[in-house]
Amino acid sequence: MKLTCAQFKKDFLSEIETLYSTSLSDTSTIGQFIALGQLVRRYNSQSWTRTAKFYRDHHQKQVYYFSIEFLPGRLLASNLLNLNLLTTVKKGLTELGLDFETISQAEPDPALGNGGLGRLAACYMDAMASLKIAGNGNGIRYRYGLFKQVFMDGYQVELPDDWLHHGNVWETRRDNKSCIVQFGGNVWLQPQADGSLQPQSENTEDVLAVPYDVGIVGYHNDITNTLRLWSAELPPSATYSSQDQRDRISEITKVLYPDDSNSAGQQLRLRQEYFFSSAGVQSIVRDFCATHHGIKLLGKKVAIHINDTHPTLVIPEMMRLLMDEHHCSWEVAWTLTTQVMSYTNHTILQEALETWPIDMFKNLLPRIYQIIAEIDRRYREQQTPIFGKALVDQTAPLGNGQVRMAYLAVIGSHSVNGVAPLHTELLKTDVLRGLYQVYPERFNNKTNGIATRRWVQLANQPLAQLIDQTIGSDWRRQPDLLQTLLPYQQDDHFLYQLGQVKLTNKQALAAYVQRTMGIKIRTDAIYDVQIKRLHAYKRQLLHVFEILREYFAIKDHPQQPVVPRVHIFGAKAAPSYHYAKAIIKLINVVADMVNQDPAIGDRLKIVFIPNYGVSIAELIIPAADVSEQISTASKEASGTSNMKLMANGALSLATYDGANIDIMQAAGAENEYPFGLKVNEVYDYYHRGNYHAADFYDADPELKRLLDSLIDGTIPGIPTVGREIYDSLLRYNDEFFVLADYRAYVTQQQQISRDFQNQPTWQQRSLANIAASGHFAADLAVARYADDIWQVPHERLN
Ligand SMILES: *Cc1c(COP(=O)(O)O)cnc(C)c1O
C-alpha cells in the first residue's frame, strides 16, 4: 500500500495519543509496539474486508487448513513486509528517535505449536494468502503457549508462557460467529413420521466456542486471509454453573500439549481435538449455506485439509451435520465428506500415531462414535470381499479396542500425502501399507516448503540486499529465480560479499550470545548449528560425541592447530520426556566443562541458547555455516529447518533422511556432507535383528573413550544422567543407531574443518545451496496442494 513517511509519523503519533493520552517520550516499548500494531491493522482493515468480497465475487472455492498447532512467529515485521510498508515505517520511526528492531522485539512470539508441524501450518497460511488462494486456518487459541524454557543447574525448567498478558493486537473476537460444541450425554435414535431416524441427546455438556480471527496478509497483493483460533467459554444458556464446571470448560483451550512425538492419551487432548474440529466444521457449513444454494455443491466450493491426525474428527463431524441437521442420506453425506477432505501424514513413529480407547471415546462423544462405528461397518462390508478379512481387520477405523485416527483420516479423505518422497514411500510400504492396497490412487507426495519471505527476506536482510543487487528483486515474488545466482559461483567479488554477509550475521548472533549468556564466541569460527526439538531420533547425542572428540583432541595435543568451532544448539524437550531432558543436561554440562577450560580458550565453544522458538531461529539460522540434520534414516518425515538453513547458505551435514535427500539432489551432494546408514540398512537391521551396538564400541577405541567419559568421572557432575545415556547405548542396544553412524559422521566433520579453511570454495558451495533453495519455497508446495488436492485456482508464480 502507498504511504508517505510524513503521513506515517503523523498517524503513529496520533495513535499513541489516542491510546495513552500522553506524549511519545512517556510510553513504554510494549506500548509503542501495541500502538504500531493497531495502526498497521487499521491500514490493512479495508484489505481484509475487500478480500472476503473478492473471493465471493469470484465464487472461489474455500480451503480450510485444520491444524492443532500454528507457530506464526512475530507478525509485525512480516505484516509490514507483505504490505510493502517496512522501509517507510523503519524510516519514520528512526526520524521519531525510535528503533524498529527494539519495538519489533517487544512483540510476544506466539508459541501455539511445538515445532515443525505448527511452523509448516504458518508458512502455508502465508503462502496461501500470497497466492490469492481463499485459505483459512482453523486452530486453537491456547491461553498459554508452549512453555518458556530456562536452564537451572543445566536442567530444563518449564515456565508458563503468558503470551496474552498484554493482549493480542492482531486478533479480532467475533462473538457473532460463536457456536456450541457438545460433549458427553446420552444419545438415541428417534423414529420420525417419515420412517427416518433422528438422533436425540440429553444431559450433554455444552461449550461455547468463540472465534478469534487473525488477518494473514498476502505479499504485495491486497489479500488478507483469516486464521481462526477458537476459545472455549461457558455458554450464555448456562444459568447456573459451579466453579468446577467453569474450570472444566476453560481448561479445553488453556494449554498446548507440549509434545508432538507421542500420542497424548488423555481425555483433555481428545476434548481439544473435537472442540476445534466441531467448531470449525460448524462455521464452514454455516458460511457455505449463507452464500450457496444446495448442500450438494459443498464438494465444489469447500476443501478441508487435515494437518496430521489431530483434526480427523472433522470427518464424522461433517457427517453428523450433513445427516442430523441438513437431512442428507448417509450416501450423499459420505460422498460430500470424502470429496471435501484431504489428509497429510507427518510421522512414521509408531508412538506418534494417535489412537483412542473406544470406551473413553464413546462416553465423551457418543454421537460421533456412532458415526465412526457405521463408517467402520460399511468399510468392512465393502472391502472384505475384495481384500479379505485379515487386511480389513488391520486397517479398519476401529480395532484392538481403539479408534485409529490415521486410518479414519485415510478412509474419509480423497487424498493422503506424505511430506517428502522417502516419507511417502514409507507410508506406502510400511505405516499405511494396508490402506495403500485398498486406496492406491489416494496416495501422493507433497514435499514440505518454507516461507522464503520470513526466513530470508526478513531474517537475513543483509543477504536479501546482496541478492537484490546481484539479480534484481523479482526473486522476492518468485523464489525459484534464486537459481539465477548460480553463475556467480565464478565471481570472486560476489563470493567475498557473501562471506561478509555471513560475518555480519555471525556478529549479530555473537553479540546476542555475549549479552544474554555471557559467552564470548569468535566470528571466524565454524558455526555448527543443530536447532530442533530434543528427541532421541534426532540424535543430538551424536553431535555431543563430536564435541567431546574435538575437546579431547585439543586436550591431548594442545599445540596442534585446530579450526575453531562454535557448536550451537536450540531445543526444547517435552516435560515428560525423561531421556530428552537427560541429553539437555549432558549438553549443558559439557558446555560448561569446555567453555571454562583455560586449555581450550576460544578454539571450541558450545552455546545452548535457551527457549528455542521462531524468534531464536531467526537469529541463529542466518549465522550458520553447518546445518546438522542427523536423524536416523527413516525417522524424520521431512524436516524444514534443513530448508531454512540451506536458504541461508549453510551446508548440510546430513543423513539420507526426509527432505535431506531432496536437498542433496537440488543443491548437489558435493555441496553437502552426507553420511550414515540408509533406510534399507536400518530396515535390514530391524528384520534381521542383528544390530549389536557393543560391536562398534569394542571396535573403535576413540568411540569407547567417548562413551566411557560419560560414566568414569571425566565429565563431572552427571553420575546418573551419564549412566542413563551410556546404558541406553550399550545395555539397551542404541535404538537409533548412534554408534553405527559415529565413524562416518566424524569423518565428515573432519572434512568440514579442512574445507572451511578454503573460504572461496566454501562460499561457492554456500551459494549453490542458496541458489537451489527456491525449490523448497512454501509458495511452490502450496501451489501443488492447490492443483492436485484442493483443486482451487491460484495466482501464477511467474
Ligand atoms: C522450522 C522449525 C522447526 C522444525 O525443525 P526441524 O529441524 O525440521 O524439526 C521447529 N521449531 C521451529 C521454531 C522452527 O522454526
Side-chain angles (χ1 to χ4, degrees), residues 69-82:
E69 303 191 359
F70 285 92
L71 205 52
R74 293 181 178 131
L75 290 178
L76 177 62
S78 131
N79 285 343
L80 288 170
L81 175 80
N82 288 3

Side-chain angles (χ1 to χ4, degrees), residues 284-295:
I284 291 168
V285 173
R286 193 169 50 192
D287 277 5
F288 172 84
C289 290
T291 41
H292 299 281
H293 301 294
I295 198 78

Side-chain angles (χ1 to χ4, degrees), residues 71 115-116 119 455 531-532 538 612-614 617 629 639-641 644:
L71 205 52
R119 184 53 230 170
W455 296 107
I531 44 173
K532 49 188 77 254
K538 291 178 182 275
Y612 180 62
V614 174
Q629 307 298 338
T640 46
S641 76
K644 300 166 196 164

Side-chain angles (χ1 to χ4, degrees), residues 13-30:
L13 291 174
S14 126
E15 191 73 41
I16 293 271
E17 166 97 67
T18 314
L19 278 177
Y20 309 115
S21 305
T22 185
S23 65
L24 181 56
S25 60
D26 197 27
T27 53
S28 62
T29 311
I30 181 74

Side-chain angles (χ1 to χ4, degrees), residues 82-283:
N82 288 3
L83 291 169
N84 206 4
L85 292 179
L86 192 56
T87 320
T88 311
V89 166
K90 277 187 180 175
K91 181 153 170 284
L93 291 174
T94 309
E95 289 176 14
L96 291 171
L98 300 174
D99 174 44
F100 175 75
E101 291 306 323
T102 308
I103 295 176
S104 169
Q105 279 159 28
E107 176 175 358
D109 180 347
L112 310 184
N114 277 287
L117 179 86
R119 184 53 230 170
L120 185 81
C123 281
Y124 283 4
M125 287 305 298
D126 173 281
M128 283 192 275
S130 297
L131 294 177
K132 288 199 181 180
I133 291 171
N136 307 270
N138 196 86
I140 294 177
R141 180 180 180 269
Y142 299 103
R143 177 63 189 83
Y144 295 92
L146 184 59
F147 64 86
K148 182 172 168 349
Q149 179 194 55
V150 295
F151 297 137
M152 293 180 79
D153 188 28
Y155 292 102
Q156 168 176 293
V157 173
E158 300 99 22
L159 303 177
D161 169 40
D162 186 14
W163 71 290
L164 288 169
H165 186 79
H166 295 283
N168 176 6
V169 286
W170 307 116
E171 71 186 12
T172 301
R173 179 183 165 108
R174 297 204 197 277
D175 284 286
N176 63 329
K177 306 278 180 187
S178 300
C179 50
I180 298 286
V181 177
Q182 295 191 318
F183 294 96
N186 308 311
V187 49
W188 71 94
L189 299 175
Q190 176 104 33
Q192 304 292 293
D194 64 359
S196 66
L197 297 169
Q198 183 67 21
Q200 303 288 325
S201 49
E202 60 180 11
N203 299 329
T204 55
E205 180 183 23
D206 293 1
V207 178
L208 184 71
V210 182
Y212 287 75
D213 288 356
V214 178
I216 303 292
V217 181
Y219 183 71
H220 297 188
N221 67 358
D222 198 31
I223 287 287
T224 303
N225 284 344
T226 300
L227 168 59
R228 176 161 285 183
L229 301 176
W230 297 94
S231 183
E233 294 185 10
L234 200 68
S237 60
T239 43
Y240 172 77
S241 64
S242 63
Q243 185 61 40
D244 216 40
Q245 243 174 323
R246 289 196 294 273
D247 289 349
R248 251 178 79 76
I249 286 176
S250 67
E251 199 185 21
I252 297 175
T253 51
K254 194 159 186 184
V255 286
L256 166 76
Y257 269 80
D259 200 339
D260 57 0
S261 51
N262 254 298
S263 108
Q266 326 230 342
Q267 232 199 82
L268 178 58
R269 174 71 159 194
L270 182 55
R271 280 161 68 85
Q272 288 188 334
E273 294 186 359
Y274 182 64
F275 172 75
F276 90 105
S277 301
S278 171
V281 173
Q282 288 187 55
S283 102

